[in-house]
Amino acid sequence: MEQRILLVDDEADILEFISYNLIREGYQVYTATNGKEAVAKAREVVPHLILLDVMMPKMNGLSALMKIREKNNIPIIMLSAKTEESDKVIGLSMGADDYVTKPYNTAELMARVKSQLRRYFSLGAANGTTQSQDILKNGGLLLNRNTKELLVDGAPVRLTA
């Protein structure tokens, strides 16, 4: 079972480029083009990680971040053209797990995605810090009863019906 990533950006070129790279890495990618759509999609698909642009129409990324954090404790990496230190501090203090400025190095972004997912599955979800009660852990085994996914030492395992 593929790990689900929600990618949120209002620029079609960026969505296409990052989606391509994530799919190439084996992730299942969902997209949204504004903050309101991101909040709804996060509830619908329950992603394992969100890449969230800061400056978007309808609802900016920081507002979407706060809304998503009300119900989910999944890794969120902010993507932004804002490079000031104060912007990074605000994003991280509002609940983002990482903050990457544009333009970014694709290899570094993919490494940050892998790192956050590794931490989420080995430390976050596995140790019960996620808000879902449908996640069971025993040693290196992690079973998400809601999504019907099994992970062994962080690696997804294919299950039969």
Side-chain angles (χ1 to χ4, degrees):
M1 292 180 201
E2 293 176 308
Q3 294 172 340
R4 295 180 302 280
I5 296 179
L6 175 57
L7 173 58
V8 187
D9 202 301
D10 60 329
E11 294 183 43
D13 292 345
I14 292 175
L15 281 177
E16 184 179 338
F17 180 74
I18 298 175
S19 290
Y20 170 79
N21 285 289
L22 291 169
I23 291 168
R24 231 179 56 178
E25 292 288 328
Y27 300 111
Q28 186 175 2
V29 179
Y30 298 87
T31 60
T33 57
N34 63 63
K36 283 189 175 188
E37 189 181 345
V39 172
K41 191 82 77 154
R43 290 185 179 138
E44 177 187 330
V45 302
V46 191
H48 298 114
L49 179 134
I50 299 175
L51 291 169
L52 183 61
D53 185 26
V54 173
M55 296 183 293
M56 293 183 296
K58 296 188 182 177
M59 179 188 290
N60 70 40
L62 296 175
S63 296
L65 169 68
M66 291 189 310
K67 283 292 225 187
I68 291 166
R69 279 283 178 247
E70 289 174 5
K71 304 237 186 236
N72 295 308
N73 191 24
I74 56 175
I76 299 176
I77 300 174
M78 302 302 293
L79 302 175
S80 179
K82 293 183 167 193
T83 60
E84 294 294 319
E85 183 177 338
S86 61
D87 295 318
K88 295 175 188 178
V89 169
I90 289 169
L92 293 168
S93 66
M94 291 179 75
D97 297 289
D98 202 351
Y99 194 104
V100 179
T101 57
K102 299 174 186 176
Y104 50 82
N105 178 292
T106 305
E108 180 184 350
L109 179 62
M110 294 302 117
R112 288 174 184 267
V113 166
K114 287 178 187 176
S115 174
Q116 288 295 331
L117 286 169
R118 184 175 52 249
R119 290 176 91 208
Y120 176 67
F121 285 112
S122 66
L123 301 175
N127 289 330
T129 58
T130 181
Q131 294 177 359
S132 173
Q133 295 179 357
D134 290 330
I135 296 178
L136 305 174
K137 181 188 182 300
N138 188 357
L141 296 176
L142 178 79
L143 176 66
N144 186 327
R145 297 185 327 184
N146 189 33
T147 61
K148 310 295 187 241
E149 291 177 298
L150 175 67
L151 300 174
V152 176
D153 296 326
V157 176
R158 289 192 182 268
L159 301 173
T160 62

